[in-house]
Amino acid sequence: METLVPLHNILYMPRTSTTTEGNKTGSWRFLRPRYEEKTSPCSAACPAGEDIARIEMLITQGAFKEAWETILMENPLPGVCGRVCYHPCEGRCNRREFDAAVAIHTMERFLADAAARNDTKPALPRQPSTGRRIAIIGSGPAGLSAAWFLNILGYETEIFEAMPAAGGMLRWGIPAYRLPETVLNQELTRIEAQGVRIRTGEAVSDTRFAELRKTYDAVFLGCGYWRDRPLSIPGEASPGVEDGLSFLREIRGDVKRDVPGVSAVIGGGNTAIDVARSIIRRGGKAVIVYRRRREDMPAFVEEVQSALEEGVELRELLAPVRIDATGEDLILTLQPMTIAGQDRDGRGKIIPADTTPVTMTVQRIFTATGAEAAAPWHEPPTAGEPGGTNHLSHCILLQDDRGKPVVYGGDLTTNDKNVTQAIASGKQAAL
């Protein structure tokens, strides 16, 4: 016979007076633990697929070389990612529920710096040579990643880079205060020592691309997005209006340039933030003009906060409509915007506010509203090619009628334009 005993007037637990002598298997249980094999949430969130739990375990044991090599098995650029990655792994870290996420990107940076300081050479397993050659167009993170993993898989790789030095956007698009040149050069030296050949100063045209498809066993295109999108407003061609990517390339080169006075930076992405912070470092005042709100900015949250702390001004809900030159100054006319719901990406949907436009007087204007491929042939084909195309999560595979694959990756195929996604793209293309 059973009775129900009230517990705090809320829960009722069954109690029995029946003997347990009939139970021949030990104590009774209502729940049985179950073991499940799962990927840790931090590793699952890492686009490059690093085995973060193992890396942390090796670090706690003082096995720094082994931890560094564990990263290299999945990501050839730990020194770069330890500085510029937006570390989505930390956003999924279980430790956050207790106090704060483990500083995974800081550990990555530490391991890379320790390896460089001690001149450590990786000892990674490599497959026997296949005797096949792969051409890679572009030496950015996608191209470097593809070359690294193809080389491990036994392929001979050659990278064709149009610029005088390798690195792509890592060298020419990210300011030195975020990614020092010495760090990038250390990564490139290790990749070349592994057997990857990088041919700088060799621009590939559409005609040369067709030749590479004939002479190599496969081709990977990771050209990146190098051309700013136009504002398409009157006065955009006025003297003093520059595109942000060209400015970043200029200051990463040998050009010593000051930007005194007030500069308006139009855009809300990472390029806009990099341009604004670079202006501050060159003695100018930077004002970011963004058509949406701060919480809608695609730039990394930490970068936005750092920019504001350094003195960058942010003016939200203002869209440029006209630029007029007057003497040595520029008058930027801005239309106030208002939020009317959300768009499909979850950001604020904007419409023009019922107010009169406002103006800003500045000495120069930098545009950073997004980028696109520098040439039409860089874009992957959508249809019409013999053999068809396979759209993967990070790259697009095209197989021609001779069975030779052409893979498009990096900014050309990834939705999120950042270094780690580009590395994942090159890795997937190699596999």
Side-chain angles (χ1 to χ4, degrees):
M1 182 180 71
E2 294 187 355
T3 59
L4 293 177
V5 179
L7 181 64
H8 301 301
N9 297 324
I10 299 176
L11 298 177
Y12 290 88
M13 299 181 63
R15 184 176 68 184
T16 179
S17 57
T18 304
T19 177
T20 60
E21 292 180 356
N23 179 17
K24 306 298 185 183
T25 59
S27 60
W28 291 358
R29 293 179 180 175
F30 294 97
L31 298 175
R32 175 179 297 176
R34 182 177 63 185
Y35 180 82
E36 292 187 6
E37 187 85 25
K38 288 186 176 182
T39 302
S40 60
C42 50
S43 292
C46 175
E50 293 183 16
D51 190 349
I52 295 171
R54 179 176 178 82
I55 295 166
E56 293 172 339
M57 178 194 70
L58 291 170
I59 289 177
T60 61
Q61 297 173 354
F64 299 148
K65 179 178 184 293
E66 291 77 5
W68 176 63
E69 289 176 336
T70 303
I71 297 176
L72 292 179
M73 291 176 66
E74 310 295 343
N75 177 2
L77 302 170
V80 170
C81 290
R83 288 167 168 83
V84 303
C85 177
Y86 67 109
H87 43 83
C89 51
E90 296 181 20
R92 297 284 300 278
C93 179
N94 286 333
R95 181 82 190 187
R96 293 185 64 190
E97 299 179 8
F98 181 71
D99 48 16
V102 176
I104 298 169
H105 75 293
T106 306
M107 293 192 303
E108 195 173 37
R109 174 174 175 169
F110 159 73
L111 292 172
D113 290 353
R117 185 167 55 252
N118 298 321
D119 195 25
T120 305
K121 301 294 189 295
L124 301 179
R126 297 176 62 187
Q127 297 295 318
S129 174
T130 63
R132 296 183 178 182
R133 298 191 308 153
I134 313 296
I136 297 173
I137 303 174
S139 68
L144 294 172
S145 176
W148 172 263
F149 289 108
L150 284 167
N151 183 267
I152 289 177
L153 292 171
Y155 293 87
E156 180 184 340
T157 55
E158 281 190 298
I159 299 178
F160 296 84
E161 171 56 50
M163 300 295 282
M169 200 61 73
L170 299 177
R171 183 179 298 277
W172 307 104
I174 299 179
Y177 67 84
R178 289 183 60 201
L179 180 58
E181 186 175 354
T182 54
V183 174
L184 177 59
N185 289 339
Q186 289 164 358
E187 306 272 50
L188 291 169
T189 299
R190 173 173 36 78
I191 292 173
E192 289 184 288
Q194 191 81 351
V196 175
R197 183 185 179 190
I198 303 177
R199 301 166 60 163
T200 57
E202 290 200 29
V204 176
S205 63
D206 54 349
T207 304
R208 183 77 184 281
F209 172 56
E211 295 174 356
L212 295 177
R213 294 181 65 173
K214 296 177 181 178
T215 56
Y216 285 79
D217 294 290
V219 180
F220 173 76
L221 268 79
C223 303
Y225 277 7
W226 283 91
R227 184 170 62 189
D228 267 336
R229 292 196 185 110
L231 295 175
S232 300
I233 60 174
E236 184 178 3
S238 302
V241 181
E242 308 176 41
D243 71 85
L245 285 176
S246 296
F247 172 69
L248 293 176
R249 284 199 299 271
E250 184 179 352
I251 63 176
R252 280 304 305 260
D254 297 328
V255 177
K256 303 298 181 182
R257 179 182 175 185
D258 294 328
V259 283
V262 180
S263 297
V265 182
I266 301 174
N270 289 312
T271 299
I273 297 296
D274 287 342
V275 170
R277 296 180 70 184
S278 297
I279 291 170
I280 294 291
R281 283 161 171 76
R282 280 156 180 76
K285 176 178 173 58
V287 180
I288 293 178
V289 178
Y290 186 50
R291 59 178 182 167
R292 289 187 171 92
R293 302 164 300 182
R294 176 180 173 181
E295 56 263 37
D296 299 322
M297 296 177 71
F300 302 153
V301 175
E302 297 91 339
E303 293 295 315
V304 176
Q305 181 62 34
S306 296
L308 296 177
E309 292 173 355
E310 291 175 0
V312 175
E313 181 183 345
L314 173 61
R315 298 191 62 178
E316 308 168 67
L317 293 172
L318 291 173
V321 294
R322 185 180 183 85
I323 299 173
D324 294 291
T326 169
E328 297 183 354
D329 296 333
L330 295 169
I331 298 178
L332 177 61
T333 303
L334 303 164
Q335 172 61 51
M337 310 298 286
T338 187
I339 300 296
Q342 288 186 337
D343 61 14
R344 61 183 181 181
D345 296 325
R347 299 187 300 174
K349 184 178 180 180
I350 55 172
I351 59 173
D354 191 18
T355 56
T356 57
V358 297
T359 60
M360 284 179 57
T361 300
V362 296
Q363 280 65 60
R364 64 194 60 79
I365 296 172
F366 294 97
T367 61
T369 55
E372 57 190 10
W377 67 269
H378 291 176
E379 295 284 1
T382 55
E385 286 279 346
T389 58
N390 291 321
H391 291 254
L392 306 178
S393 60
H394 286 77
C395 61
I396 295 177
L397 169 64
L398 168 67
Q399 192 128 348
D400 64 19
D401 53 357
R402 294 159 300 183
K404 290 187 175 182
V406 176
V407 186
Y408 297 79
D411 288 345
L412 302 174
T413 58
T414 55
N415 293 326
D416 297 327
K417 316 299 181 186
N418 58 66
V419 172
T420 318
Q421 294 286 353
I423 290 173
S425 176
K427 178 180 177 181
Q428 185 181 68
L431 296 175

